[in-house]
Amino acid sequence: MNKYPAIFTALFSLGVAMSPASAQENPFGIAIHGGAGTISKAKLTEEQEQAYRDKLEEAVNAGHKILAKGGDSLDAVKAAINILEDSPLFNAGMGAVYTFDGTHELDASIMDGNTMNAGAVAGVKHIKNPIDLALMVMNKSDHVMLSGVGAEEFALTQGMPLVPANTFDTDSRYRQLLDAKAKINAAESAAKDFHASATSLDLDYKFGTVGAVALDKNGNLAAGTSTGGMTAKRFGRIGDSPVIGAGTYAENGVCAVSATGHGEYFIRYHVAADICARMKYQQKNVIQASDEVINQRLVEAGGSGGIIAIDAQGNVATPFNTEGMYRASRVNKDEPLIMIWRDK
Ligand code: ASP
């Protein structure tokens, strides 16, 4: 006989992990993502797939270890995101994509559901781990969001070193930029319309952001997101990832959300906060609320992407409306769950 009640089996098949806490211990858990998009099974070699799965597992385990020891959800979020930022596999930190002009502009944000404090940085070019600077903005400044040179100047005042802009150069992202530019140029000369041509790019070129959400044993929820943005974006463009309520949101007693996808839609539809609002005001559960926003509202609007969310009981939802989303979760004493596509 199936050892799980039917509802859990059904939710697993939706890419949802639900793990009720044992009676003795407060629930805790973490979910992470490494971006959503056209992740073609045919294009990913076995070795590449394994490399993604290994890195996701390392990151989710690092966050889970902190939580299992009674640590803070913010620390778990930071630890998991740092591992993904340091890996060239993901579009954040070391694997950041290029702007149209061949530079890197990084965005990140973090939110503490306990205090409703938040910190964000946008358009930074010399910060190795933008999530660390977002955390500093939250903890050490009077502001929520700092951008560009001002954010980097603030980093220096806090003793965070700047790194050369070419730290983030990688051959694979550069090839993606050249490819994207060739497509934009071809479409532009056909359509005479930069906007239409840039938005017609394959999703391949757009996504890959990283994020984490966590619930600690004290019931504190936290969320964070870090990204290089979208390949061939205009310089100065800021996406949803550093926008509190769009790419990142956390509120104790409700949920924590981190998003990945076509940022312009996530900003306009206020995706992360909308999911929490549906839970708070319409008494929807985390699975219903996030599914409505990602698979109904965004789909109707034409916005691609996905989110990870965890609620105050440790239930995790990971809906996406793209072919795949790199993701992992680990709740209570469970083993980690690592997934890329809908079914595995
Ligand atoms: N949401 C990010 C942005 O629009 C991109 C991504 O998720 O990969 O900047």
Side-chain angles (χ1 to χ4, degrees), residues 55 147 336:
K55 203 38 93 176
S147 70

Side-chain angles (χ1 to χ4, degrees), residues 120-124 145-153 238:
V121 293
V124 293
M145 191 190 287
L146 293 176
S147 70
V149 176
E152 296 184 347
E153 187 70 35
I238 294 169

Side-chain angles (χ1 to χ4, degrees), residues 206-209 227 229-230 237 239-241 260-261 263:
K206 288 179 175 167
F207 306 147
T209 293
T227 189
M230 286 167 51
R237 178 263 188 189
D240 60 312
S241 308
T260 172

Side-chain angles (χ1 to χ4, degrees), residues 33-37 91 97 105 107 203 205-210 225-231 233 237-242 247 259-267 304-306:
H33 69 78
N91 171 20
V97 299
E105 296 184 358
D107 301 334
L203 297 181
Y205 298 113
K206 288 179 175 167
F207 306 147
T209 293
V210 310
T225 311
S226 182
T227 189
M230 286 167 51
T231 299
K233 66 185 179 181
R237 178 263 188 189
I238 294 169
D240 60 312
S241 308
T260 172
H262 195 157
E264 280 67 11
Y265 289 86
F266 283 69
I267 294 174
S304 348

Side-chain angles (χ1 to χ4, degrees), residues 21 25-30 66-77 111-116 213-223 249-256 279 310-315 332:
E25 199 172 40
N26 289 341
F28 66 96
I30 179 164
I66 291 171
L67 299 170
K69 281 195 202 147
D72 202 86
S73 52
L74 278 172
D75 292 336
V77 163
M111 184 158 183
D112 177 359
N114 183 29
T115 58
M116 299 297 283
V213 294
L215 168 72
D216 66 30
K217 289 183 181 175
N218 294 318
N220 292 323
L221 287 162
Y249 200 72
E251 181 172 351
N252 270 18
V254 188
C255 73
M279 294 178 65
I310 189 164
D311 72 9
Q313 289 73 45
N315 300 308
N332 299 324

